[in-house]
């Protein structure tokens, strides 16, 4: 047969590109709308169409890809549904910034032209993240790629809106909302980021009407809002102000009379116990205003500029107004004092501008009944949230949920399908654009200008992407989806809302599992951010180390409930792992020239202990990986594979088998070749979900057996091997290999003995080329027999010239000794080392360490270092000192041994 070869060095870039193109063009990522195979489905958390691949995406999508590739190889009909989100404000901002550089704004362009412009931008530069996901190896069914504003999804959005409106679950109300004066839009509560900031508490005197010279002092953190005060309030049981309730005070600077009201909301301990009430600009005051029937005076325009209601301050920006008002109060002698005061200030999650509580007419979803069902579904176990501690967070939020403000005052998004009648005021909400008012028939109607919150369309993602409201085969096959993989930061924005919408419209949960993964932080555990300059770019990492090494790193660190501290050295470490696999495969292939698996009758082969051991361990590894992936312990799957590949297959088995390959008889050689091939072939399949590219490249060069593959491409009588490792079956635990545990246990002892001799060689600095003698003194006959049986391995791998195995054997006087189980390893040292030289060398090394320890010890006793240096630096130095002490101890022991030889 024509045997293939692997390149000398693994070059990820060209291998990755080649295989990705092949997989995609052959349709291996494709899901079948209907199939006899069991279904497995995941919908991608749609990245923003403005997005570029960051570490969060890389982790999130690597984990999804591992699950999808694994399930596909297990024979499932896998749908990984991809797509992007139109990302309302974010995308609008991008295009607005572009306009701004040309000195224009969106109002100049007008709504229609502006939206055209955004679509044009999307066509040209949107969705670059899709190409980046492909570089990551993401095996999404790209032919099904969706966009939250494509035609189908827009129909789904409209259907949902109309239905919820008809059900009385969507309403309009004039309320206080969080308003971003820069983005000119409402923000939902969770779109506001609160930050503790230093502020002031201004104490202002409000004169009492009709009682010249008397006043009450009001404490406020926002003096400028006094322009909109419509009352001051005291606690009803506050004796100090009892006589004031029902009287009036004069609003300073404006000279408007406002009432004093009593309300239990007032905290008697705060400031003076008298507070100003500004219903149009404070959430609590809004409620007080409702209870006392107070006017709501809006003093700002949409940009946070004082409007006509602010009299002489009209036209001032809000913070400029604050300054001027404080100055004027001071000049009027009405400013009593200013205290420092810390407080939480809300900022827009998009642009960080301080948000303003703002009175406006908005659309809301009544979430109470929806949330109830979404909570029950998790309680009943219909959806599992993993790790489990997130379930409590989910319940907490659901219990305290407020109605969802879904309208946004921007242009890019799903325009709300509601029409207002100019004649009778009726609101018409319909699937088809109406031409007349549904109440009076007037044709003087106009559409709502607001668009829907971006999360409204993504809340429908699990079923809208599958063709809903049509009853499609995809929905039947893939809904509810199997798993959602996401970060905790969008548990509320997105996951909770998908639960609500899924249950309401599909009558079933959208996913059976929600796996919440951790954050990727920098090596010090800091959040990655542009301003800190500690961002690691996934694409740079892929270029430098290859995708597989990067993916393996992410999987290896994805421990549940623990953030990932990512350092580039880690990725470099896993590149070495990829190279290790490559080199082991090259070795294997070199020994497989002319090898044809199908010509071998495995039943007739006589397996050695080493063979039985490696097959037993391979089998155990397959079981561990399966269990780990089943319970989303990606790190455990990675570490089982790493250990098996490196410490068992490469470090031991390949070494153990060399003798058979080079010196064994025909039968031994064939067996060794067969097992080597068998293990590598299985290992590649086990590794494929985490390291898709390198495994495919190697697997393609390996000889294939026709039988024994149960994959997608291999159905049919002729049992041809599949065309890609993607289509091959994922290795499962086999009963027959589990029976090799006896051979495995024996081999463990043999390897321990070899390691013991190697340790002695290392300690005594015996050069690798030099053969030595060893004596093995066994306590039990079992060990004796076992070691005798494996003498040849021990001789070869420990590089021995002589080996005596016995019970109670005579020992040489000057010897190094190690104990392994019930076996004592004795290595005679006489003649092995040059005693004089070795003694000199050891003394020199000990002298060097003494100096280092003295220096470091002095440093650590110096209080000015210990107190001033950062704690982690001090801790590191202490560790170093302990390491030195350890090393010194080992050297001293060696010295003692050497001196005994004199
Ligand atoms: Zn903003
Ligand atoms: Zn009408």
């Amino acid at each position: 047969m024509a045997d293939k070869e692997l390149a000398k060095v693994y070059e990820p870039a060209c291998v990755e590109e080649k295989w990705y193109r092949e997989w995609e063009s052959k349709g291996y990522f494709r899901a079948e709308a209907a199939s006899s195979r069991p279904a497995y489905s995941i919908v991608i958390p749609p990245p923003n169409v403005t997005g570029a691949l960051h570490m969060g995406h890389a982790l999130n999508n690597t984990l999804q890809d591992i699950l999808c590739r694994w399930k596909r190889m297990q024979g499932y009909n896998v749908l990984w549904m991809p797509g992007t989100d139109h990302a309302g404000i974010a995308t609008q901002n991008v295009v607005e910034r572009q306009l701004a550089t040309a000195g224009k704004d969106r109002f100049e362009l007008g709504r229609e032209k502006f939206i055209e412009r955004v679509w044009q931008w999307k066509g040209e530069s949107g969705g670059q993240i899709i190409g980046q996901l492909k570089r990551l190896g993401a095996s999404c069914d790209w032919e099904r790629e969706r966009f939250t504003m494509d035609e189908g999804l827009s129909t789904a959005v409209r259907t949902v809106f109309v239905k919820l409106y008809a059900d009385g679950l969507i309403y309009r109300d004039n309320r206080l909302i969080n308003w971003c004066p820069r983005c000119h839009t409402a923000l939902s509560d969770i779109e506001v980021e609160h930050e503790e900031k230093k502020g002031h508490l201004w104490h202002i005197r409000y004169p009492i009407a009709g009682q010249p010279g008397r006043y009450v002092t009001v404490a406020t953190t926002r003096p400028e809002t006094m322009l909109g005060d419509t009352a001051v309030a005291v606690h009803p049981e506050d004796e100090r102000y009892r006589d004031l309730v029902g009287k009036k005070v004069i609003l300073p600077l404006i000279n408007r009379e406002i009432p004093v009201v009593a309300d239990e909301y007032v905290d008697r301990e705060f400031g003076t116990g008298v507070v100003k009430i500004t219903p149009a600009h404070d959430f609590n005051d809004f409620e007080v205003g409702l209870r006392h029937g107070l006017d709501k005076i809006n003093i700002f325009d949409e940009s946070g500029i004082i409007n006509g209601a602010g009299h002489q301050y009209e036209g001032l920006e809000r913070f400029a107004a604050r300054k001027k008002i404080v100055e004027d109060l001071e000049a009027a002698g009405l400013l009593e004092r200013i205290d420092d005061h810390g407080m939480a200030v809300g900022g827009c999650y998009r642009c960080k501008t301080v948000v303003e509580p703002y009175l406006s007419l908005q659309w809301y979803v009544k979430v109470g009944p929806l949330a109830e069902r979404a909570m029950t579904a998790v309680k009943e176990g219909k959806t599992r949230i993993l790790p489990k501690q997130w379930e409590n967070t989910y319940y907490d939020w659901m219990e305290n949920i407020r109605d969802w403000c879904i309208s946004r005052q921007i242009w890019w998004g799903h325009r709300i399908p509601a029409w207002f009648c100019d004649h009778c005021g009726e609101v018409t909400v319909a699937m088809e654009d109406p031409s007349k008012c549904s109440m009076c028939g007037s044709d003087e109607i106009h559409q709502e200008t607001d668009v829907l919150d971006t999360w409204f369309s993504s809340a429908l993602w699990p079923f809208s992407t599958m063709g809903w409201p049509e009853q499609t085969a995809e929905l039947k096959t893939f809904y509810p989806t199997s798993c959602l993989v996401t970060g905790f930061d969008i548990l509320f924005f997105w996951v909770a809302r998908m639960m609500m919408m899924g249950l309401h419209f599909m009558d079933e949960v959208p996913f059976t599992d929600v796996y919440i993964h951790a954050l990727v932080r920098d090596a010090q555990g800091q959040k990655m951010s542009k301003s800190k300059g500690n961002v690691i770019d996934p694409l740079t990492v892929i270029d430098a180390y290859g995708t597989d090494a990067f993916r393996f790193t992410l999987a290896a660190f994805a421990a549940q409930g623990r953030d990932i501290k990512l350092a580039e050295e880690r990725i470099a470490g896993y590149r070495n792992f990829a190279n290790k696999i490559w080199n082991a495969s090259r070795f294997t292939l070199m020994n497989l020239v002319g090898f044809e698996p199908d010509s071998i009758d495995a039943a007739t082969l006589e397996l050695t202990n080493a063979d039985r051991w490696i097959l037993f361990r391979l089998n155990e590894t397959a079981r561990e990986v399966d269990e780990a992936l089943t319970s989303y312990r990606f790190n455990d799957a990675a570490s089982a594979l790493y250990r098996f590949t490196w410490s068992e297959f490469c470090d031991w088995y390949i070494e153990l088998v060399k003798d058979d390959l080079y010196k064994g008889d025909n039968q031994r050689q064939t067996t060794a070749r067969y097992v080597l091939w068998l293990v590598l072939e299985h290992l590649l399949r086990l590794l494929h979900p985490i390291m898709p590219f390198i495994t495919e490249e190697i697997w393609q060069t390996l000889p294939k057996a026709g039988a024994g593959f149960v994959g997608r491409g291999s159905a049919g009588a002729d049992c041809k091997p599949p065309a890609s490792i993607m289509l091959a079956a994922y290795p499962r635990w086999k009963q027959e290999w589990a029976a090799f545990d006896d051979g495995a246990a024996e081999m463990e002892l043999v390897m321990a003995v070899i390691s013991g001799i190697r340790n002695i060689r290392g300690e005594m600095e015996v050069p690798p080329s030099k053969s030595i003698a060893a004596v093995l003194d066994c306590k039990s006959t079992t060990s004796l027999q076992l070691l005798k049986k494996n003498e040849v391995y021990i001789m070869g791998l420990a590089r021995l010239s002589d080996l005596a195995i016995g019970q109670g054997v005579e020992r040489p006087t000057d010897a190094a000794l190690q104990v392994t189980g019930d076996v004592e390893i004795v290595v005679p040292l006489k003649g092995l080392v040059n005693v004089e030289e070795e003694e000199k060398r050891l003394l020199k090394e000990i002298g060097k360490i003494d100096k280092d320890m003295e220096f470091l010890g002095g440093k650590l006793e110096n209080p000015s270092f210990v107190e001033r240096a950062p704690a982690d630096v001090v801790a590191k130095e202490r560790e170093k000192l302990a390491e030195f002490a350890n090393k010194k101890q080992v050297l001293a022991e060696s010295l003692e041994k050497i001196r005994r030889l004199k």
Side-chain angles (χ1 to χ4, degrees), residues 747-767:
M747 210 55 216
E748 306 275 351
L749 180 68
V750 173
M751 293 189 305
V753 166
I754 297 171
S755 296
I757 303 172
R758 284 177 174 173
N759 284 347
I760 295 174
R761 293 185 68 116
E763 273 171 29
M764 292 299 154
E765 304 240 324
V766 179

CSV table of all heavy atoms in Angstrom, one decimal, residues 747-767:
chain,number,residue,atom,x,y,z
A,747,MET,N,2.0,-4.2,35.0
A,747,MET,CA,2.8,-3.3,34.3
A,747,MET,C,3.1,-2.0,35.2
A,747,MET,O,4.2,-1.5,35.1
A,747,MET,CB,2.1,-2.8,33.1
A,747,MET,CG,3.0,-2.5,31.9
A,747,MET,SD,4.1,-3.8,31.5
A,747,MET,CE,5.5,-2.8,31.1
A,748,GLU,N,2.2,-1.7,36.0
A,748,GLU,CA,2.4,-0.5,36.9
A,748,GLU,C,3.6,-0.8,37.8
A,748,GLU,O,4.4,0.1,38.0
A,748,GLU,CB,1.2,-0.2,37.8
A,748,GLU,CG,-0.2,0.0,37.0
A,748,GLU,CD,-0.4,1.4,36.5
A,748,GLU,OE1,0.4,2.3,36.9
A,748,GLU,OE2,-1.3,1.6,35.7
A,749,LEU,N,3.7,-2.0,38.3
A,749,LEU,CA,4.9,-2.3,39.2
A,749,LEU,C,6.2,-2.2,38.4
A,749,LEU,O,7.2,-1.7,38.8
A,749,LEU,CB,4.7,-3.7,39.8
A,749,LEU,CG,5.8,-4.0,40.8
A,749,LEU,CD1,5.9,-3.1,42.0
A,749,LEU,CD2,5.8,-5.5,41.2
A,750,VAL,N,6.1,-2.8,37.2
A,750,VAL,CA,7.3,-2.8,36.4
A,750,VAL,C,7.8,-1.4,36.1
A,750,VAL,O,9.0,-1.0,36.2
A,750,VAL,CB,7.1,-3.6,35.0
A,750,VAL,CG1,8.2,-3.4,34.1
A,750,VAL,CG2,6.7,-5.0,35.3
A,751,MET,N,6.8,-0.5,35.8
A,751,MET,CA,7.2,0.9,35.5
A,751,MET,C,7.7,1.6,36.7
A,751,MET,O,8.6,2.4,36.6
A,751,MET,CB,5.9,1.6,34.9
A,751,MET,CG,5.6,1.0,33.5
A,751,MET,SD,4.3,2.0,32.6
A,751,MET,CE,3.0,2.0,33.8
A,752,ALA,N,7.1,1.2,37.9
A,752,ALA,CA,7.6,1.9,39.1
A,752,ALA,C,9.0,1.5,39.4
A,752,ALA,O,9.8,2.3,39.8
A,752,ALA,CB,6.7,1.5,40.3
A,753,VAL,N,9.4,0.3,39.1
A,753,VAL,CA,10.7,-0.2,39.3
A,753,VAL,C,11.7,0.5,38.3
A,753,VAL,O,12.7,1.1,38.7
A,753,VAL,CB,10.8,-1.7,39.1
A,753,VAL,CG1,12.3,-2.1,39.0
A,753,VAL,CG2,10.2,-2.4,40.3
A,754,ILE,N,11.3,0.6,37.1
A,754,ILE,CA,12.1,1.3,36.1
A,754,ILE,C,12.3,2.8,36.5
A,754,ILE,O,13.4,3.3,36.5
A,754,ILE,CB,11.5,1.3,34.7
A,754,ILE,CG1,11.4,-0.2,34.2
A,754,ILE,CG2,12.2,2.1,33.7
A,754,ILE,CD1,10.6,-0.4,33.0
A,755,SER,N,11.2,3.4,37.0
A,755,SER,CA,11.3,4.8,37.4
A,755,SER,C,12.3,4.9,38.6
A,755,SER,O,13.0,5.9,38.7
A,755,SER,CB,9.9,5.4,37.9
A,755,SER,OG,9.1,5.4,36.8
A,756,GLY,N,12.2,4.0,39.5
A,756,GLY,CA,13.1,4.0,40.7
A,756,GLY,C,14.5,3.9,40.3
A,756,GLY,O,15.4,4.7,40.8
A,757,ILE,N,14.9,3.1,39.3
A,757,ILE,CA,16.3,3.0,38.9
A,757,ILE,C,16.7,4.3,38.2
A,757,ILE,O,17.7,4.8,38.4
A,757,ILE,CB,16.5,1.8,38.0
A,757,ILE,CG1,16.1,0.5,38.7
A,757,ILE,CG2,17.9,1.7,37.5
A,757,ILE,CD1,16.1,-0.8,37.8
A,758,ARG,N,15.7,4.8,37.4
A,758,ARG,CA,16.0,6.1,36.7
A,758,ARG,C,16.3,7.2,37.7
A,758,ARG,O,17.1,8.0,37.5
A,758,ARG,CB,14.8,6.4,35.8
A,758,ARG,CG,14.8,5.6,34.5
A,758,ARG,CD,13.6,6.0,33.7
A,758,ARG,NE,13.5,5.4,32.4
A,758,ARG,CZ,12.5,5.5,31.6
A,758,ARG,NH1,11.4,6.2,31.9
A,758,ARG,NH2,12.5,4.9,30.4
A,759,ASN,N,15.5,7.2,38.8
A,759,ASN,CA,15.7,8.3,39.8
A,759,ASN,C,17.1,8.2,40.3
A,759,ASN,O,17.8,9.2,40.5
A,759,ASN,CB,14.7,8.1,40.9
A,759,ASN,CG,13.4,8.6,40.5
A,759,ASN,OD1,13.2,9.2,39.5
A,759,ASN,ND2,12.4,8.2,41.3
A,760,ILE,N,17.6,7.0,40.6
A,760,ILE,CA,18.9,6.8,41.2
A,760,ILE,C,19.9,7.3,40.2
A,760,ILE,O,20.9,8.0,40.5
A,760,ILE,CB,19.2,5.4,41.6
A,760,ILE,CG1,18.2,5.0,42.7
A,760,ILE,CG2,20.6,5.2,42.0
A,760,ILE,CD1,18.3,3.5,43.1
A,761,ARG,N,19.8,6.9,38.9
A,761,ARG,CA,20.7,7.4,37.9
A,761,ARG,C,20.7,8.9,37.8
A,761,ARG,O,21.8,9.5,37.7
A,761,ARG,CB,20.2,6.9,36.5
A,761,ARG,CG,20.3,5.4,36.3
A,761,ARG,CD,19.9,5.1,34.8
A,761,ARG,NE,20.9,5.6,33.9
A,761,ARG,CZ,21.7,4.8,33.2
A,761,ARG,NH1,21.5,3.5,33.2
A,761,ARG,NH2,22.6,5.3,32.4
A,762,GLY,N,19.6,9.5,38.0
A,762,GLY,CA,19.5,11.0,37.9
A,762,GLY,C,20.2,11.6,39.1
A,762,GLY,O,21.0,12.5,38.9
A,763,GLU,N,20.0,11.1,40.3
A,763,GLU,CA,20.6,11.6,41.5
A,763,GLU,C,22.1,11.5,41.4
A,763,GLU,O,22.8,12.4,41.9
A,763,GLU,CB,20.1,10.9,42.7
A,763,GLU,CG,18.8,11.4,43.3
A,763,GLU,CD,18.3,10.5,44.4
A,763,GLU,OE1,19.1,9.8,45.0
A,763,GLU,OE2,17.0,10.4,44.5
A,764,MET,N,22.5,10.4,40.9
A,764,MET,CA,24.0,10.2,40.9
A,764,MET,C,24.6,10.7,39.6
A,764,MET,O,25.8,10.5,39.4
A,764,MET,CB,24.3,8.7,41.0
A,764,MET,CG,23.9,8.1,42.4
A,764,MET,SD,24.8,8.9,43.6
A,764,MET,CE,23.8,8.7,45.0
A,765,GLU,N,23.8,11.4,38.8
A,765,GLU,CA,24.3,12.0,37.6
A,765,GLU,C,25.1,11.0,36.7
A,765,GLU,O,26.1,11.2,36.2
A,765,GLU,CB,25.3,13.1,37.9
A,765,GLU,CG,24.6,14.2,38.8
A,765,GLU,CD,24.5,15.6,38.1
A,765,GLU,OE1,25.5,15.9,37.4
A,765,GLU,OE2,23.5,16.3,38.2
A,766,VAL,N,24.5,9.8,36.6
A,766,VAL,CA,25.1,8.8,35.7
A,766,VAL,C,24.7,9.2,34.3
A,766,VAL,O,23.5,9.4,34.0
A,766,VAL,CB,24.5,7.4,36.0
A,766,VAL,CG1,25.1,6.3,35.1
A,766,VAL,CG2,24.8,7.0,37.5
A,767,PRO,N,25.7,9.3,33.4
A,767,PRO,CA,25.3,9.7,32.0
A,767,PRO,C,24.4,8.6,31.4
A,767,PRO,O,24.6,7.4,31.6
A,767,PRO,CB,26.7,9.8,31.3
A,767,PRO,CG,27.7,9.2,32.3
A,767,PRO,CD,27.1,9.1,33.6
